[in-house]
Amino acid sequence: MPSILSQYEQAFLKDRELAQKANSIFPDGITSDGRYTEPFPIYISHSQGGKKWGINGKEFIDYWGGNGALLLGHNPPEIVEAVTAQVQQGTHYSACHPLEIQWAELIQSLIPSAEKVRFTNSGTEANLLAIRLARAYTGKHKVLRFFGHYHGWQDSVILGADGAIEPGIPQSVLDATILCPPNDIEAVEKCLHTDPDIACVILEPTGACSGVIPTNGEFLSQLREITQEYGVVLIFDEIITGFRISPGGAQTYYQVIPDLTTLAKIVAGGLPGGAVVGKKEILNLISRKEQEKQGRTTKVSHLGTFSANPLSAAAGIAMLKIVKTGKPQAQVNQLAQELRRGLNAIIDEHRLDWVVYGEFSCIKFLIGHGIPGLKTADFNPYQWDYRQLSSRGNPQLRQNLRWGLLLNGVDISLSSVTMAAHSTADIQQTMAAFAQTVDWMKADGLI
Ligand SMILES: Cc1ncc(COP(=O)(O)O)c(C=O)c1O
């Protein structure tokens, strides 16, 4: 039987052809680093519900979920209807419009920290603005962030997860970024105590990459206390967790209220969009009127051609109305739990040193942790080396797993989510695809 790789190359010939063309146009043939795939990526023609279809008609159960933006699934009717109606009304007025108010009011009704709201075009932009606001508010310069936590690709936060220097980032920006180990309140306290120039602490409130290196509520409470003590702005990056882990995000679930919250993905109903929400006195640094009242002649700048554009507003409103019910969150959590359990049963049955873990609707894979005989139920990510969690295990095994799953009709990444459109049948089919791939990997002598 041919190897998994040669099966992949044979099954996706048309994709390979497109990839060759793309390679001559785009660096690495791709348009976002997250889509890098060896030896070439698959190309999608359309999607619906919990599935998407490749250019050769092959069906995939999709666990990328629009990188976390599609809580409900692909093309939910309420959002399709809202966007279709809006596209006929206009896509860009270069003016204020009523939908932006309705959209922001829905956010305020859900997110406790949202005293004021400012829309952006993406999560990266939201964090860029939040950090600028924190600097302006405190008069300090540095950003304290945590190993592995992702906050978009802007200069202040794109430092490699391990703090490795990225080309193209000025030394002055590197000097203004402090990287702490995750979940280590003593390390944070030491930094805040010794460095009076720290403007903000930013983190993903359920941990790096929405829980690859998980964080718990206790750490969030400790951070809240310590940042208040040192006069440092606490930013929750709820770009993934917002509306997903509860209608009011991680801050509602853990009852810890940050000064600023950044949102994107679900907030815009699966279309491009984001927001910074938070304390009135911080957001008001953008307000010309408020700054004039304080006798100031300058303000924090924020512009954006597509900020609060009517299409994203229409999609966001439709999404948040459904989010508010709490139903999709319960569904995705249940589906993810079933999937994690099912996959772990297969891992235990084959005595692999792999584990599938995660909380809420998140599915994280660690493929090759190096402890033979460890049952998946005994795996506790809080007791694990965070650098190993971040590596996600053995690259060769990970790659073969991905090819095998795609060949078996499942598109899942090592950090995936369930969508409300998934069915129990999808979960069963995913388990069968996983078991088949494990058999192939054994046949290939990989495990
Ligand atoms: C936690 C988190 N913050 C920020 C971002 C960046 O958002 P965007 O891709 O919309 O710029 C992402 C994107 O995946 C994210 O997961």
Side-chain angles (χ1 to χ4, degrees):
M1 189 177 149
S3 71
I4 298 178
L5 176 57
S6 44
Q7 285 190 67
Y8 182 88
E9 286 173 329
Q10 280 309 307
F12 299 109
L13 284 174
K14 270 195 185 173
D15 305 71
R16 179 156 68 177
E17 246 172 63
L18 275 189
Q20 274 163 357
K21 198 168 181 184
N23 269 327
S24 67
I25 304 170
F26 309 121
D28 280 338
I30 51 173
T31 53
S32 170
D33 284 358
R35 294 180 199 147
Y36 185 86
T37 313
E38 287 284 356
F40 54 83
I42 55 158
Y43 285 76
I44 297 299
S45 76
H46 62 287
S47 60
Q48 185 62 47
K51 308 227 166 91
K52 55 194 189 190
W53 284 264
I55 47 166
N56 62 1
K58 190 171 174 61
E59 183 177 288
F60 301 99
I61 303 170
D62 176 35
Y63 292 98
W64 286 74
N67 292 25
L70 306 178
L71 177 67
L72 308 176
H74 292 273
N75 325 331
E78 298 85 349
I79 292 177
V80 171
E81 214 171 280
V83 174
T84 309
Q86 186 55 44
V87 86
Q88 286 157 359
Q89 295 293 311
T91 59
H92 199 307
Y93 307 133
S94 299
C96 303
H97 57 92
L99 288 183
E100 66 193 17
I101 299 175
Q102 201 186 335
W103 190 16
E105 281 178 339
L106 269 165
I107 295 172
Q108 285 181 317
S109 72
L110 291 164
I111 304 289
S113 62
E115 289 174 18
K116 283 231 156 181
V117 176
R118 184 76 168 203
F119 287 112
T120 62
N121 291 309
S122 68
T124 295
E125 282 192 14
N127 284 329
L128 172 65
L129 178 59
I131 290 169
R132 180 178 291 176
L133 282 166
R135 286 181 168 139
Y137 182 68
T138 58
K140 306 178 202 175
H141 298 99
K142 293 186 185 165
V143 177
L144 189 153
R145 58 181 290 256
F146 297 95
F147 179 99
H149 288 229
Y150 180 62
H151 303 297
W153 56 273
Q154 56 117 338
D155 285 3
S156 293
V157 287
I158 188 61
L159 279 182
D162 57 356
I165 291 172
E166 302 246 353
I169 312 291
Q171 188 61 44
S172 56
V173 175
L174 299 177
D175 294 343
T177 309
I178 297 167
L179 192 71
C180 269
N183 303 325
D184 185 343
I185 200 68
E186 278 164 27
V188 177
E189 169 134 45
K190 198 168 160 201
C191 289
L192 296 185
H193 188 68
T194 52
D195 193 338
D197 199 25
I198 298 174
C200 59
V201 171
I202 185 167
L203 84 161
E204 292 185 65
T206 58
C209 295
S210 56
V212 168
I213 308 166
T215 285
N216 58 29
E218 191 192 344
F219 183 65
L220 299 180
S221 301
Q222 290 170 331
L223 273 184
R224 179 63 291 185
E225 216 170 282
I226 204 176
T227 46
Q228 255 154 1
E229 189 184 325
Y230 284 92
V232 167
V233 173
L234 179 61
I235 306 172
F236 276 6
D237 176 340
E238 294 233 43
I239 284 160
I240 290 267
T241 57
F243 315 106
R244 172 174 291 282
I245 72 163
S246 88
Q251 56 200 267
T252 301
Y253 187 86
Y254 290 114
Q255 290 294 300
V256 179
I257 311 302
D259 301 303
L260 293 177
T261 303
T262 51
L263 302 165
K265 303 190 191 264
I266 294 172
V267 78
L271 265 64
V276 179
V277 306
K279 280 199 171 132
K280 207 189 253 184
E281 58 186 10
I282 306 181
L283 267 290
N284 275 347
L285 290 166
I286 310 173
S287 160
R288 185 187 310 265
K289 285 183 194 151
E290 289 300 324
Q291 294 315 298
E292 279 172 1
K293 268 193 223 161
Q294 312 278 333
R296 297 193 188 117
T297 52
T298 54
K299 64 178 276 303
V300 167
S301 290
H302 173 248
L303 300 100
T305 299
F306 285 99
S307 291
N309 77 85
L311 286 186
S312 298
I317 291 166
M319 174 72 102
L320 294 187
K321 282 183 181 165
I322 301 170
V323 154
K324 215 171 177 169
T325 63
K327 277 190 200 154
Q329 294 87 347
Q331 273 173 287
V332 291
N333 289 356
Q334 174 66 32
L335 287 159
Q337 193 181 45
E338 272 174 45
L339 184 57
R340 288 190 300 259
R341 280 191 186 148
L343 298 180
N344 277 332
I346 297 165
I347 290 170
D348 285 337
E349 188 189 315
H350 288 270
R351 297 170 187 276
L352 300 172
D353 67 334
W354 300 3
V355 65
V356 181
Y357 65 103
E359 287 179 277
F360 310 102
S361 51
C362 300
I363 300 150
K364 314 288 174 193
F365 290 81
L366 180 58
I367 302 298
H369 53 59
I371 313 276
L374 180 76
K375 284 256 193 276
T376 54
D378 296 330
F379 171 85
N380 177 355
Y382 284 96
Q383 290 169 352
W384 216 261
D385 179 84
Y386 64 83
R387 287 169 203 272
Q388 196 188 8
L389 291 179
S390 185
S391 79
R392 325 258 168 106
N394 177 319
Q396 194 197 11
L397 297 183
R398 281 170 13 204
Q399 209 154 54
N400 277 273
L401 179 65
R402 175 137 168 76
W403 296 326
L405 287 169
L406 282 167
L407 285 163
N408 283 293
V410 174
D411 192 5
I412 194 162
S413 77
L414 296 174
S415 180
S416 277
V417 287
T418 43
M419 299 188 279
H422 286 138
S423 62
T424 306
D426 291 334
I427 303 296
Q428 296 295 330
Q429 203 178 316
T430 305
M431 283 157 53
F434 188 78
Q436 175 68 82
T437 304
V438 168
D439 286 344
W440 285 351
M441 287 173 78
K442 281 191 163 168
D444 277 4
L446 293 161
I447 48 178

